[in-house]
């Protein structure tokens, strides 16, 4: 039902009449209806309650008329399903009871069979089924965290600025690093598998913090594991990271990624030259402009669309997630502008 949708067509390299648009973190605190539903429920419990996860996923699709839903969940959900003790602290992010720092820590956590994730993923499958039943022809995007971004939290034990502990492990103990990243890759792949089985039309691999890596570290220690997480999937793959300009071509994962996400730092026409003619681009409205006067934001969105024409195809999005303080009316207005622009209206 979703194979002729604008999103799937753009990911496959077609240019539908108007560029498809969705927003990372479109479900979440920018929406009053989300804040109301979440009262009294912890983040990860909400993710594992199928009717709640489905309803939260649907809220922004109804409100904004975006061209895709993004499944409401979190990158650490498969770790919780594997039995790893993790919570999401409001205003802070994922926090682990036991950081994974030494070779022994790595041996302990990687002894968990990633099949445990698939076995425990019934609430995920159920939430995806409920959501796709409501969405009809609008595609649902599934997702998982890339091994490095997950390791950035797991090795530290919580959020960090420069992800120094995870990056240090690569060089100090490469065997442990590859063991950990290989395991995280299989855990995320199992999480994607559950979503695909239940009907998502495309998936996005979030390597949000990859921009903290040097190009050589990304190539040697990260890209092979990210590639393994998404190779040979039966649906299109988007690969996203922030600050990945210095190695954007490598974000293609040897062509395994159908689309590469670009943050606000790199104009899309430059990005198109870097990734070449076989890759769709996704992005790159600057979240910092969401609070600007409408004419300023409108000019910026038009410029993003214009530069995006240099790519083989373009999926419009922000350069990173919707900030919680965003006026949701502004997001709806951007969707209307992008849809009108595509059909040739002024
Ligand atoms: O709408 C969507 O994009 C779908 C849902 C989604 C969430 N997390 C929901 C969420 C997705 C795709 C994610 C992925 C995720 N989780 C990433 C990669 C994307 C990115 O933003 O770069 C990362 C790094 C995480 C880890 C994480 N989870 C962080 C840093 C936080 C924020 C903590 C905070 O309170 O500021 C979370 C919690 C989280 N995940 C929220 C949502 C809606 C906020 C929870 C709340 O409402 O309190």
């Amino acid at each position: 039902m979703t194979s002729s949708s604008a999103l799937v067509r753009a990911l496959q390299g077609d240019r539908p009449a108007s560029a498809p648009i969705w927003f990372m973190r479109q479900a979440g605190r920018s929406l009053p209806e989300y804040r109301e539903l979440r009262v009294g429920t912890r983040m990860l419990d909400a993710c594992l309650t199928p009717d709640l996860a489905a309803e939260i996923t649907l809220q922004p699709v109804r409100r904004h008329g975006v061209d895709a839903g993004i499944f409401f969940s979190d990158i650490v959900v498969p770790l919780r399903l594997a039995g790893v003790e993790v919570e999401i602290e409001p205003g802070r992010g994922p926090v682990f009871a036991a950081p994974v720092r030494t070779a022994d820590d790595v041996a302990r956590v990687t002894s968990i069979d990633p099949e445990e994730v698939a076995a425990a993923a019934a609430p995920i499958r159920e939430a995806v089924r409920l959501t796709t039943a409501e969405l009809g022809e609008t595609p649902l995007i599934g997702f998982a965290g890339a091994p490095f971004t997950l390791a950035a939290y797991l090795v530290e034990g919580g959020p960090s600025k420069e992800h120094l502990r995870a990056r240090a492990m690569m060089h100090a103990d490469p065997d442990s690093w590859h063991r950990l990243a290989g395991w995280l890759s299989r855990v995320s792949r199992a999480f994607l598998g559950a979503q695909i089985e239940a009907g998502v039309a495309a998936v996005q691999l979030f390597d949000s913090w990859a921009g903290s890596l040097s190009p050589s570290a990304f190539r040697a220690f990260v890209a092979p594991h990210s590639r393994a997480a998404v190779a040979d999937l039966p649906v299109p793959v988007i690969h996203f990271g922030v600050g990945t300009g210095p190695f954007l071509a490598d974000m293609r994962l040897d062509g395994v990624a159908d689309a590469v996400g670009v943050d606000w730092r790199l104009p899309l026409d430059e990005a198109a030259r870097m990734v070449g003619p076989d890759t769709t681009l996704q992005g790159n409205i600057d979240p910092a402009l969401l609070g600007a006067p409408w004419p300023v934001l409108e000019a910026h969105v038009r410029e993003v669309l214009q530069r995006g024409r240099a790519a083989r195809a373009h999926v419009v999005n922000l350069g990173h997630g919707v900030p919680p303080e965003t006026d949701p009316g502004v997001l709806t207005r951007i969707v209307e502008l992008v849809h009108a622009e595509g059909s040739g209206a002024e």
Side-chain angles (χ1 to χ4, degrees), residues 169-185:
M169 187 192 284
M170 296 172 186
H171 306 282
D173 183 358
D175 288 348
S176 290
W177 167 261
H178 283 298
R179 192 164 172 183
L180 180 61
W183 180 78
L184 288 168
S185 169

Side-chain angles (χ1 to χ4, degrees), residues 25-27 29 34 38 43 73-74 91 153 206 208 320:
R25 289 279 171 91
Q26 63 191 17
R29 280 171 294 187
Y34 168 83
R38 274 289 317 285
M43 175 63 192
S73 196
D74 197 84
Y153 290 105
F206 279 95
S208 302
H320 198 182

Side-chain angles (χ1 to χ4, degrees), residues 44-305:
L44 291 178
D45 295 332
C47 294
L48 295 171
T49 308
D51 54 345
L52 195 51
E55 176 56 23
I56 292 173
T57 304
L58 292 165
Q59 285 177 342
V61 182
R62 289 193 201 107
R63 183 195 262 263
H64 302 307
V66 282
D67 295 292
I70 171 83
F71 181 52
F72 179 78
S73 196
D74 197 84
I75 57 170
V76 298
V77 164
L79 291 169
R80 163 72 76 90
L81 295 176
V84 175
E85 247 186 277
V86 55
E87 278 295 349
I88 292 181
E89 300 297 342
R92 196 159 168 241
V95 176
F96 291 88
V100 176
R101 291 186 185 165
T102 65
D104 284 351
D105 296 338
V106 171
R108 198 174 318 113
V109 75
T110 59
S111 71
I112 302 172
D113 183 349
E115 279 307 307
E116 299 282 327
V117 175
I124 301 302
R125 290 192 196 85
E126 178 63 11
V128 168
R129 276 190 214 104
L130 291 171
T131 310
T132 52
E134 289 290 317
L135 281 174
E137 289 173 15
T138 303
L140 178 63
I141 302 170
F143 74 91
F148 173 67
T149 287
L150 284 173
Y153 290 105
L154 193 58
V155 178
E156 189 71 33
S160 62
K161 273 214 170 69
E162 292 177 336
H163 322 301
L164 206 58
R165 283 198 166 91
R167 292 193 296 113
M169 187 192 284
M170 296 172 186
H171 306 282
D173 183 358
D175 288 348
S176 290
W177 167 261
H178 283 298
R179 192 164 172 183
L180 180 61
W183 180 78
L184 288 168
S185 169
R186 291 189 291 280
V187 162
S188 278
R189 192 176 173 90
F191 185 49
L192 292 173
Q195 296 169 64
I196 292 169
E197 259 177 65
V200 299
V203 295
Q204 176 156 320
L205 189 69
F206 279 95
D207 206 354
S208 302
W209 311 138
S212 69
L213 295 159
S214 67
S216 63
F218 178 78
R219 281 174 206 133
F221 294 107
V222 171
H225 300 293
S226 292
R227 188 183 189 283
V230 290
D232 302 314
L233 293 180
V235 298
V237 172
I238 308 162
H239 188 204
F240 169 79
V242 177
T244 59
F247 49 87
L248 199 72
D250 296 280
M251 291 292 283
R252 296 176 60 252
L253 303 175
D254 308 319
V256 163
D258 299 277
V260 165
V262 181
D263 78 5
W264 59 92
R265 293 174 179 89
L266 188 65
L268 289 181
D269 48 344
E270 271 181 52
R273 278 195 291 280
M274 294 172 78
V275 299
D278 302 324
T279 307
T280 297
L281 291 182
Q282 176 173 282
N284 72 346
I285 298 169
D286 187 343
L289 273 87
L290 293 174
W294 175 251
V296 175
L297 176 56
E298 180 183 4
H300 173 61
V301 173
R302 286 184 193 280
E303 182 177 349
V304 166
L305 290 173

